[in-house]
Amino acid sequence: MTQATVDIHTVAEMNSTPNSFKNPNYKHPTRRVKPVKQLIVDEQKHLRAIAEKVKHEPVTYFAIEAPPSIKPVKKYCDITGLKGNYRSASSGIRYHNAEVYSIVKNMAQGVDQQYLGLRNANTVLR
């Protein structure tokens, strides 16, 4: 026998012996992959079925209860409505930049409380 025939026989023998890590009873799954649109429709049907059993109300964006967000609360300037990166130490009013701070610094006594009242952050200043 030549070297080539020996190599062919050893390869054939290796392929015929079952590997120890393969399950001889394994069958490939017959399910098909669903497109995203079909998954969404199925989920909506499922939610409607649950709603009919429990509340008899349709499930909408506003009806679903969700846990509180873990993201930090965004802070906005009380004067301009822009991103409020800074906060006045004396009155607690948030402001956007130095120009707005000059307005905050020169506010009358009750005006700062009115701005804090708009965002439900009323505090009694001493």
Side-chain angles (χ1 to χ4, degrees):
M1 266 205 231
T2 63
Q3 182 65 25
T5 57
V6 172
D7 290 338
I8 293 172
H9 289 294
T10 56
V11 170
E13 289 172 4
M14 288 176 21
N15 289 340
S16 65
T17 58
N19 293 331
S20 61
F21 62 88
K22 290 186 177 180
N23 184 356
N25 300 326
Y26 177 76
K27 295 180 182 178
H28 289 285
T30 57
R31 63 183 167 194
R32 63 179 180 90
V33 177
K34 292 184 179 181
V36 174
K37 190 171 184 178
Q38 184 63 42
L39 291 173
I40 293 171
V41 169
D42 289 345
E43 183 69 19
Q44 288 173 347
K45 287 179 184 176
H46 177 70
L47 290 175
R48 275 191 227 115
I50 291 173
E52 289 174 4
K53 290 179 183 177
V54 177
K55 297 181 184 178
H56 300 291
E57 294 179 9
V59 177
T60 62
Y61 178 79
F62 298 106
I64 296 175
E65 295 181 11
S69 176
I70 58 172
K71 292 184 178 180
V73 178
K74 293 185 178 181
K75 298 173 182 166
Y76 296 101
C77 174
D78 291 323
I79 309 297
T80 61
L82 299 171
K83 187 176 179 184
N85 295 330
Y86 312 104
R87 188 172 154 254
S88 172
S90 60
S91 63
I93 292 180
R94 294 189 186 114
Y95 58 93
H96 177 67
N97 57 15
E99 183 180 346
V100 178
Y101 179 67
S102 65
I103 297 170
V104 171
K105 191 168 50 173
N106 297 325
M107 275 187 185
Q109 185 66 23
V111 177
D112 55 355
Q113 290 297 317
Q114 290 175 350
Y115 275 110
L116 291 172
L118 290 175
R119 66 176 163 100
N120 295 330
N122 288 2
T123 57
V124 178
L125 299 176
R126 297 178 191 160

